[in-house]
Amino acid sequence: MESGNSGSDDTADMDKFSRVQQKDDMQDTRPISLYFMDEHDARALADEMKQMKHMKDSDLRVTCSSLGKAVRSASNLGRGLPTGQGIDDNTGKLLTMDDGGSLRHKVVPSKRELFYAARCAGRERVGCFGDSPNEDADLLLQPQDVIEANKMQARRASKKNTARRIQKARQLEKEGLMESPEDRLRREYAHMEGQVGLPVFYSEGLLKKPPALRRIFQGAKSAWATSSLTPLYFSYEDLMKDWSIMRERSNNKNKIPETPPQVEVFNMLDVVTSIDKDQWRAERRSELVREQKGLVGKIPILHNLINTGKKSASKKSGLEKVVFVPSSLGIQAKERISAAGSMKTRLRPMRAWGKDA
């Protein structure tokens, strides 16, 4: 009887733990700070919060900040800006807010741009793992709670899907067959299943306009021919607009299609991480070249005059050509919010006066 009671108690405890765990997975109540890429999404959440009974009289407003600050705040690495205590080195966890823990910062991508990203090549990079592009696009048109429920279900099934894809890739390798590009992307970006990324758009053949001084001294034709800037757009609509402008101003207008043949989407954080790694490799190669020169390498002037380094030290990956093009809607929102200000008067504290002064 005792063993039967203990077994039933253990089962009840396991069921209770399972229910609590499912509740934690379903609803994350940890305090976070959100940086929205789209003003419309931020105002929609602010209006929703104002409808709550305890938030009715609160002062809610939308402010703007730079993307660099948002990424630093959300990264908690390097020069990140976490509030409170950081991550425990032994457990990898954060304390609760009551225990002096950190306030989590998250960057929220634009639903508008995710809708466009779902129809572009490489959509798996930003978390779109649907059976078809139309399925992912239709999901992003749903309310936020429906999207989150779908993403949560995908996160729970991600481990099984990853194991299945790896097994399929190994089987194809044994049979001497090539893996399809779509399956390869799904396998390489399996960590993004159930998550969302920050989409940036790229189209081959679209170049960034060279600076004015360069066009004057080098000539417009030569400047465009040697232009080395690869633009990555935060807005799909801006990319299409610039493509139309480039086509209208081109001498070979008839040879350029009205729309880009293919628009590819990347995750901005992956691009930034790759650029950071590439810059570190370039600096490390320069350090090795200076060490080979000995005393001469320690003197900057002599080091630049004497070119004894290997050719591999001057190799470039192409990431140094990448330039991010901000969204025109985001620029307009920033100017509008900055013009409105904080709606607070900036008066100095008044001096005490009268009998009690």
Side-chain angles (χ1 to χ4, degrees), residues 236-276:
Y236 178 86
E237 296 175 357
D238 292 344
L239 183 146
M240 300 300 291
K241 182 179 178 180
D242 284 1
W243 180 275
S244 300
I245 294 175
M246 180 193 70
R247 182 175 181 272
E248 291 294 331
R249 296 180 179 179
S250 176
N251 296 328
N252 301 324
K253 180 179 178 180
N254 297 329
K255 296 182 180 180
I256 301 177
E258 295 183 0
T259 58
Q262 184 184 56
V263 178
E264 194 170 0
V265 63
F266 295 91
N267 190 347
M268 189 209 74
L269 296 181
D270 292 341
V271 177
V272 172
T273 303
S274 300
I275 292 174
D276 184 61

Side-chain angles (χ1 to χ4, degrees), residues 99-117:
D99 297 333
S102 297
L103 175 67
R104 293 165 174 83
H105 303 272
K106 292 185 178 181
V107 182
V108 182
S110 170
K111 286 183 61 178
R112 183 192 192 101
E113 304 306 332
L114 284 174
F115 171 79
Y116 290 122

Side-chain angles (χ1 to χ4, degrees), residues 155-213:
R155 286 195 293 269
R156 292 174 177 174
S158 61
K159 292 184 179 179
K160 294 182 179 179
N161 295 336
T162 302
R164 177 174 52 81
R165 295 187 190 105
I166 294 176
Q167 184 179 3
K168 181 180 178 181
R170 290 176 178 174
Q171 184 65 27
L172 290 174
E173 186 178 0
K174 290 181 180 179
E175 297 176 358
L177 300 177
M178 293 294 294
E179 189 179 14
S180 64
E182 183 178 356
D183 291 340
R184 181 177 57 82
L185 270 177
R186 288 175 177 266
R187 180 172 54 83
E188 292 178 353
Y189 289 89
H191 62 281
M192 290 301 299
E193 188 171 7
Q195 309 291 338
V196 289
L198 298 177
V200 287
F201 303 93
Y202 165 75
S203 179
E204 187 176 359
L206 183 60
L207 300 176
K208 189 65 178 173
K209 185 177 181 181
L213 291 177

Side-chain angles (χ1 to χ4, degrees), residues 33 43 53 134 141 178 199 212 216 237 315 325 337 347:
S33 170
R43 295 196 181 278
K53 184 181 297 184
N134 291 334
L141 294 176
M178 293 294 294
I216 293 173
E237 296 175 357
K315 287 184 178 179
V325 181
I337 294 173
L347 298 178

